[in-house]
Amino acid sequence: MTAAVVFLGSYLPLSLIFLAQSLEYDKLDGAFCWNLSAAICDLPIRSPIFSVAMVVATLSCFMITILALHLIRPNQTVDVLSVKYIPSDLMNYTLPYIVSFMSIDYQDIGKFVGFSVFLIWMFWISYRSGQIIMNPVLIALGWRLYEIEFKFAGGEAKHVGRGLSRGHLQIGNARQATLQDIQIFKP
């Protein structure tokens, strides 16, 4: 569930692109209709239910992701022995953006269903590869993914894992919390 929320939140910019593409710009100069249920209302959006629902869904998932990362309080001290930055494979996230400019809109049900299948496929690949936590939106907000070697405070056994840090992670003592096999570090 958490992975799906993070994944959907990473596509907030894509939903905004689709919303912008579904706007009927020639109708934007009209007065705003406050009574949306009235028959006289003519929203300047093709497929407003899908367009607005996608923005609301991805915005909600994005906000949940940011809130969850903000609320995590690292409470466990570890000794970071080595740090290796893992550059995010942005191709998984770039392809849907490229596809969005190939005239997909919510009114063409066949293309929209096909695009949805494509996104589900991308989610599965991202999830199985362990790259779900690193996405372009988190990169833009300053988060970086690392492969780290560490020891727990007072322990001798070395562990290797992935760590997500806001900014650069340094060798030495650090505080972390674990979220679904990913260590979260905060300065």
Side-chain angles (χ1 to χ4, degrees), residues 51-69:
S51 299
V52 174
M54 291 305 290
V55 169
V56 168
T58 57
L59 179 62
S60 298
C61 290
F62 170 73
M63 296 304 289
I64 289 169
T65 300
I66 297 305
L67 181 64
L69 287 172

Side-chain angles (χ1 to χ4, degrees), residues 50 99 102-118:
F50 283 119
V99 171
M102 296 178 178
S103 73
I104 293 178
D105 68 36
Y106 298 114
Q107 291 179 326
D108 188 343
I109 300 299
K111 284 186 179 180
F112 182 69
V113 169
F115 185 70
S116 298
V117 169
F118 174 73

Side-chain angles (χ1 to χ4, degrees), residues 28 95 104 128 135 143 150 152 175:
L28 286 179
L95 284 175
I104 293 178
R128 298 293 286 180
N135 62 60
W143 289 90
F150 64 97
F152 290 102
R175 297 186 59 76

Side-chain angles (χ1 to χ4, degrees), residues 76-88:
Q76 189 170 37
T77 302
V78 296
D79 186 23
V80 177
L81 305 172
S82 69
V83 177
K84 179 183 174 190
Y85 173 64
I86 301 173
S88 180

